[in-house]
Amino acid sequence: MISMTLADIAATMSGTLVLGSSGATADTVVSGLTDTDSRLITPGDIFVAKPGEVTDGHLFVPAAVENGAAVVIVDHEVVTDVPQIVVADTVVAMGALATEVVARVRAGGNLTVVGITGSNGKTTTKNLVATMCEQVGPTVYPRDSFNNEVGAPITMLKVSEETRYLVLELGASGKGHITRLTDMVQPDIAVVLMVGLAHAGEFGGVEVTVESKRELVEALGDQGVTILNADDPRVMSMESAAPGRVITFGHNPSADVRVSDISSSITGTEFDLHTPVGQTHVSFKVLGEHHAMNAAAATAVALELGFDLDLIVSSLQSVTRAEHWRMELMGGNGVTVINDAYNASPDSMAAALKTLRQVAGPDNRTIAVLGEMAELGEYAGEEQDRLALLIVRLGIDQLVVVGDGARRLHISAINEGSWDGESKFYSTPDEAYDYLSSLLRAGDIVLVKSSNSAKLRFLGDRLGEAYA
C-alpha cells in the first residue's frame, strides 16, 4: 500500500483513532498490506476485524497484533496496545480506504485498471492477463478468487506508486454488487466473458445476471474499452451500454480476436489464434478447450494494452495451470486426477465433462466424481437432469455423485441410461474416497468437480496424493 499516516487513514474511513500505548502517534506512517485474516498479517500490516457468519474478526485482534499488525480496524473499541481505528462498518471502511489509495495512485498517471467479470472463467482470465502484464511492469492482481466486497478491496490496497497494472476479477450475486466495486477503481478496460446460470438462484434469473454483469461496462468512461464475448448473445447485448470502443473475442468469424482449430489432450490445449496484428499457433498447457476462450479474452486485453503478439504467445505458453483446484492435473502411477472442484455451474460442469471425454484414449476409463452446483435455486433440479443426460451421451464410464445436494444427478443418470452400477451415490467425501480407492487402476482418468461449498477439492487432493 502507499504510505499514509494513521490520522489520514482514520479520516479516509470516517473513523476514530485510538492510539493505545505502543508509542505510535497520529503522524505514524503505515504502508503495510491489509487483510481480514490474522494468520496472514506480518509486521506493519493493517488488520480489518470483519464480523462473519461463523466467527467475529474482533476475536482475532490479539493474534493479528502478535503477528505485527501496525493498526487494527474495528467496529467497537477493543483491548489492545496498538492503534485502532473505530468505524461504523469495517468492510465499508476498508472499501473507502481502497478507493482513496487507488485514486492517489491514479493521480500519478501510470495506473491502468482491468476489470473482468462473467459467470465462468474470471479467475483463469485474470491470471492470464496478469501473467502478460507482469512482463511489462509492476502488476497487482487477486490471490485465488478474491472478487467480492472483501476480497477486491484487499487486492486494491496492494497498489503502490510503482504499480502499472491492476487486474481485478469482479464477482456478484446480485444487482449493484459490481457497481459497488467499480466505484472504487473506475476501470479502464472491462471484460465480460459469459453469462450463464452460475449464481442464478441468488440473482433471481438470468436476465438479472445480465443486468448485474453489465454494470462493469456501464462503469467505464468515454475512453474506456469494452471487451465482449462474440459467441454469447447475452454478453453482446451489453454493446449498446458501452460508452467507448468495443472489441470482441470468440469462435465467431466476426470476432476481433478469434480462436480456431482447438484440440485437447491430457497435456493441454492447442489452438490457432487470430488477431488484428497476425495469426499464430498456441500450445497452451491449461487443460480444457473452453480455456482457449479465456486465452482469447486475455489476448484482446493485452493487445489493447499495446503488448506485441510474441509476448502474448510466450506468456500464454508459460502458464501451466488455470489456478489451484481448477482443471489441475494430479495423480500418477497411471491414474490421472483432474481436480476442478473450486467452482461449478452448469456451463463449467458441462465443459469439464466434455474435456474428460476428449482427453481420454481408447484404453482410458473415464470417471466423473461430481458434487453439488450451489446457488442455482429453482434451476438446480433441471440442470442436474441436463447434466445427467450429457454424462450418458458422452459415455462416461463411471459416475460417482457425492453429497445430498447432488443426489438428483445420480437418480437422473440412472433414469437416462438405465445403467447397472455405472452411477454410485455417497453422502460424504470419505465414503466416496473409500469406493474410489477400490475402483481405480492404471489408465483411469478421474474428474473431480463441484462447487466450493461441497469441498470435493479436498477429495481431489486426497486422490491425487494417493496416486502420486
Side-chain angles (χ1 to χ4, degrees), residues 8 11 26 76 86 108 166 168 202 205 240 257 265 343 368 376-377 398 408:
D8 205 2
H76 61 272
V86 184
L166 173 59
L168 298 170
E202 288 188 331
S240 60
V257 176
S265 71
N343 277 318
L376 290 181
Q398 179 72 62
R408 180 163 168 172

Side-chain angles (χ1 to χ4, degrees), residues 171-347:
S173 54
K175 291 181 67 173
H177 292 188
I178 288 179
T179 296
R180 182 190 311 161
L181 301 178
T182 57
D183 283 348
M184 299 178 191
V185 291
Q186 290 77 51
D188 302 289
I189 298 175
V191 184
V192 186
L193 298 170
M194 65 173 296
V195 173
L197 284 177
H199 309 294
E202 288 188 331
F203 277 107
V206 175
E207 292 312 311
V208 181
T209 304
V210 173
E211 294 174 17
S212 299
K213 303 301 183 186
R214 189 168 57 227
E215 291 171 6
L216 176 56
V217 176
E218 295 168 341
L220 296 174
D222 292 342
Q223 301 303 310
V225 175
T226 301
I227 298 176
L228 301 177
N229 182 349
D231 299 345
D232 190 327
R234 294 189 180 105
V235 172
M236 287 306 299
S237 72
M238 302 177 194
E239 184 174 15
S240 60
R245 290 187 297 115
V246 175
I247 297 170
T248 58
F249 68 92
H251 302 282
N252 194 308
S254 67
D256 297 306
V257 176
R258 182 167 61 89
V259 288
S260 67
D261 297 320
I262 304 172
S263 61
S264 292
S265 71
I266 201 64
T267 60
T269 308
E270 304 276 334
F271 59 90
D272 288 335
L273 180 64
H274 310 259
T275 79
V277 297
Q279 175 182 338
T280 189
H281 185 77
V282 178
S283 296
F284 196 38
K285 297 183 182 68
V286 178
L287 187 64
E289 68 174 29
H290 52 292
H291 285 307
M293 284 288 284
N294 299 327
T299 297
V301 173
L303 290 172
E304 184 57 34
L305 292 174
F307 302 169
D308 64 51
L309 193 56
D310 287 342
L311 180 149
I312 292 169
V313 173
S314 65
S315 295
L316 289 174
Q317 295 187 154
S318 72
V319 176
T320 58
R321 66 178 186 183
E323 179 70 88
H324 187 29
W325 297 317
R326 290 176 174 84
M327 299 302 286
E328 183 177 10
L329 284 178
M330 307 178 71
N333 294 308
V335 175
T336 300
V337 178
I338 305 171
N339 194 351
D340 192 34
Y342 191 84
N343 277 318
S345 69
D347 294 312

